[in-house]
Amino acid sequence: MASLRIKKPNTRRGKKALEEREPKTIENLKKTLIMEGRKCSNDIRQALRDLNLLKKPNSRMMRRNNDVTPFEDATLLEHLAKTNDCHLFLFGSSSKKRPNNLVMGRIYDEQILDMVEFGIDQYTALEKFKTEKISQFTKPVIIFNGYKWKLTEELRRIKSLLLDMFHIDHIDSIRLQGIEHVLSFTLTDDLTIMVRSYRIQLKKSGQRTPRIELLEMGPSLDLSVRRTKIASDNLYKVAMKQPAVLKAARRKNVTRDELGNVHGRVHVGKQDINALQTRKMKGLRKTAEEKRQEKLEKQKRNSASGEASMDEDMDGDSHGEGDADMDGDDGEE
């Protein structure tokens, strides 16, 4: 019974930590748990360090080796991800059967959703590229090259996993000078994934749009797919489901901010300021002279309209008498 008891936080810091882990309409940025296995080669250690540099500050790297086998028993891995509030993980290990092993995966509802085991066939460290590096917190431009990414469901899931692993945040607009980093994933005919990292250089072109050159800055990896654990279609559909608030139909002149508040814009036609009903204040009342002047103008308008109607009647009578005289003349003849 003691294990079923729920312990509530007693401190403000504990309550705040639990509130951060609660489900939200707009989720926080996903953090990545980076850890080493029981045995690791130098290439795997260096690759994890370089990937940690690319993922900072949304990553948490464990400092000691962990006896974890994700495909056989992932209980410890799920526990560490829950403790560190991470929804993505990178696990590196090396053995005689599977040298230079790199496992990527993501977690949903505190359980592993899907993961892929890659073998590093070729690796060049970040420090071996003697070029200028990018600044920290730079959002990368992610490019997928090759027509085979859409051939099978497994390759589509791997593409989704890589995109989820390396993208930082969704943005609505970009600034040309703010684009500094490119991550390229190329799928070859033998299903080898070539991962390349480039720094963007803007050169003069003689026009308004600058000329773009790509300078490789590392790291460089060639990955081959070894084992995969893909979630079922139903579980994947549930994991990808979005709240109804975010999927609301777009309405004209209606927007929604990050907190979920609705803002509307109303377009009003042209208004006659003189006809607006204002507050009846003593200072805005008409004086006796203004009332007398308005009464005289009203009488003048009425008299002018009366004279105009009398003139129209006179014109009608004159036309009628002229017709009668013409008829009399016809009879005399």
Side-chain angles (χ1 to χ4, degrees):
M1 294 298 293
S3 61
L4 299 178
R5 185 174 53 194
I6 300 175
K7 187 177 180 180
K8 296 183 179 180
N10 298 324
T11 61
R12 183 178 179 182
R13 182 177 179 182
K15 293 179 181 179
K16 188 176 180 180
L18 288 181
E19 289 177 357
E20 284 292 325
R21 298 183 184 183
E22 289 181 354
K24 302 179 181 62
T25 303
I26 301 177
E27 294 289 346
N28 301 330
L29 296 179
K30 294 182 180 179
K31 297 181 181 179
T32 305
L33 180 66
I34 303 176
M35 55 190 301
E36 299 177 3
R38 183 174 51 185
K39 294 182 179 179
C40 285
S41 62
N42 293 331
D43 288 344
I44 284 293
R45 289 193 180 94
Q46 190 62 42
L48 292 178
R49 294 193 193 100
D50 291 346
L51 294 176
N52 182 42
L53 291 176
L54 295 180
K55 293 286 295 180
K56 277 187 175 181
N58 302 315
S59 62
R60 178 69 185 276
M61 189 165 185
M62 308 300 289
R63 297 300 179 185
R64 61 181 182 180
N65 297 356
N66 297 271
D67 190 5
V68 179
T69 52
F71 281 87
E72 284 74 21
D73 185 11
T75 306
L76 180 58
L77 179 59
E78 294 171 351
H79 173 71
L80 292 174
K82 178 183 176 181
T83 305
N84 294 277
D85 192 20
C86 296
H87 296 84
L88 300 168
F89 67 87
L90 283 170
F91 177 79
S93 63
S94 184
S95 63
K96 185 176 180 180
K97 186 178 181 181
R98 294 185 178 89
N100 296 335
N101 209 39
L102 181 65
V103 180
M104 292 185 186
R106 47 189 169 183
I107 295 174
Y108 170 72
D109 197 15
E110 300 179 1
Q111 295 181 353
I112 292 180
L113 178 66
D114 48 16
M115 57 182 171
V116 182
E117 184 181 73
F118 297 104
I120 300 179
D121 300 330
Q122 181 274 333
Y123 172 70
T124 306
L126 184 67
E127 59 185 11
K128 292 185 179 180
F129 290 88
K130 305 300 180 182
T131 56
E132 187 179 356
K133 309 303 180 185
I134 59 173
S135 58
Q136 203 173 9
F137 313 117
T138 301
K139 299 180 180 64
V141 178
I142 301 176
I143 301 174
F144 289 91
N145 303 311
Y147 66 95
K148 290 191 175 183
W149 285 112
K150 298 181 180 180
L151 290 183
T152 62
E153 182 63 25
E154 184 177 285
L155 291 175
R156 284 193 289 268
R157 295 287 182 88
I158 294 176
K159 178 182 176 181
S160 175
L161 175 60
L162 292 173
L163 185 61
D164 209 12
M165 179 68 66
F166 291 99
H167 103 288
I168 296 178
D169 195 6
H170 294 285
I171 55 176
D172 299 326
S173 59
I174 59 175
R175 188 171 63 94
L176 188 60
Q177 286 76 14
I179 304 177
E180 299 181 13
H181 187 205
V182 173
L183 279 176
S184 174
F185 299 93
T186 304
L187 185 62
T188 60
D189 293 336
D190 58 350
L191 301 183
T192 299
I193 301 175
M194 302 172 63
V195 184
R196 300 293 183 267
S197 178
Y198 300 97
R199 184 178 184 272
I200 296 178
Q201 291 182 331
L202 302 179
K203 302 290 186 179
K204 293 183 179 180
S205 62
Q207 300 177 358
R208 185 175 181 181
T209 305
R211 179 170 54 89
I212 296 177
E213 290 185 1
L214 298 180
L215 181 65
E216 189 171 1
M217 51 165 274
S220 174
L221 301 94
D222 287 352
L223 305 176
S224 58
V225 181
R226 289 178 177 172
R227 289 187 293 178
T228 59
K229 183 180 179 182
I230 304 299
S232 62
D233 294 338
N234 294 333
L235 181 59
Y236 188 74
K237 186 177 180 180
V238 172
M240 297 293 290
K241 187 177 181 180
Q242 292 183 349
V245 177
L246 299 179
K247 295 192 300 183
R250 183 178 179 84
R251 291 188 294 173
K252 192 175 181 180
N253 299 327
V254 177
T255 57
R256 189 181 297 272
D257 59 12
E258 296 180 354
L259 301 177
N261 301 323
V262 179
H263 300 275
R265 181 182 297 176
V266 180
H267 296 274
V268 182
K270 188 176 181 181
Q271 296 180 349
D272 186 4
I273 301 177
N274 297 324
L276 290 177
Q277 177 63 41
T278 58
R279 185 179 179 184
K280 295 181 179 179
M281 297 176 60
K282 188 175 181 179
L284 298 177
R285 293 178 183 175
K286 296 181 179 179
T287 61
E289 183 65 26
E290 291 176 347
K291 291 181 180 179
R292 194 180 301 112
Q293 189 70 22
E294 185 178 353
K295 187 175 181 181
L296 290 175
E297 290 178 358
K298 187 176 182 181
Q299 290 177 357
K300 288 180 181 180
R301 287 196 299 269
N302 293 337
S303 61
S305 61
E307 291 176 359
S309 61
M310 289 177 64
D311 292 342
E312 291 177 358
D313 295 340
M314 292 293 290
D315 292 341
D317 294 341
S318 62
H319 288 305
E321 291 176 357
D323 295 338
D325 293 340
M326 291 181 66
D327 294 339
D329 295 340
D330 293 338
E332 290 177 358
E333 291 177 357

